[in-house]
Amino acid sequence: MTDPRKPSVLFVCVHNAGRSQMAAAFLTHLAQGRVEVRSAGSAPADAVNPAVVEAMAEAGIDISAQTPKVLTTEAVQASDYVITMGCGDACPVFPGKTYLDWVLEDPAGKGVESVRHIRDQIKTRVEALIADINTEPEG
């Protein structure tokens, strides 16, 4: 159940196997329970990208047990922030939500060396998102 006092964020990419998984893991780790975090994909993969799992482990975050999830209308409705990462028009839009589109390289098919750069970009954006969430007035 959603906590009405806690802001909620949904990260969406196509396969929910890379970018959105990293973003969700960083937000969960860095917000320390102050934000409800979800991730999903418009066409989820069977598993999280192994190079993404390795790159996140290097950052001290274990996402090896995560599985890609399908994007649902309910997940969007239950979120205050919806952050898309290349899911195109697959994400439903509802009034009263904050929508952001983060243009990030897709880690699919890349080795951990390439994924590290994407991971670091995502961490920087998540840190800025936390700052934005913390400065918004409570409604």
Side-chain angles (χ1 to χ4, degrees), residues 41-91:
S42 52
D46 293 332
V48 175
N49 179 333
V52 166
V53 172
E54 183 177 345
M56 291 302 290
E58 291 174 357
I61 301 173
D62 180 8
I63 64 168
S64 61
Q66 295 299 317
T67 56
K69 294 166 273 315
V70 68
L71 175 64
T72 65
T73 300
E74 294 77 21
V76 177
Q77 287 176 313
S79 301
D80 300 310
Y81 295 81
V82 179
I83 301 173
T84 58
M85 304 173 195
C87 75
D89 297 328
C91 193

Side-chain angles (χ1 to χ4, degrees), residues 12-67:
V12 182
C13 66
V14 176
H15 300 297
N16 190 221
R19 295 167 289 188
S20 57
Q21 289 282 352
M22 288 189 282
F26 273 127
L27 184 55
T28 299
H29 179 75
L30 296 170
Q32 300 176 331
R34 296 185 313 267
V35 178
E36 186 174 343
V37 183
R38 299 178 182 86
S39 71
S42 52
D46 293 332
V48 175
N49 179 333
V52 166
V53 172
E54 183 177 345
M56 291 302 290
E58 291 174 357
I61 301 173
D62 180 8
I63 64 168
S64 61
Q66 295 299 317
T67 56

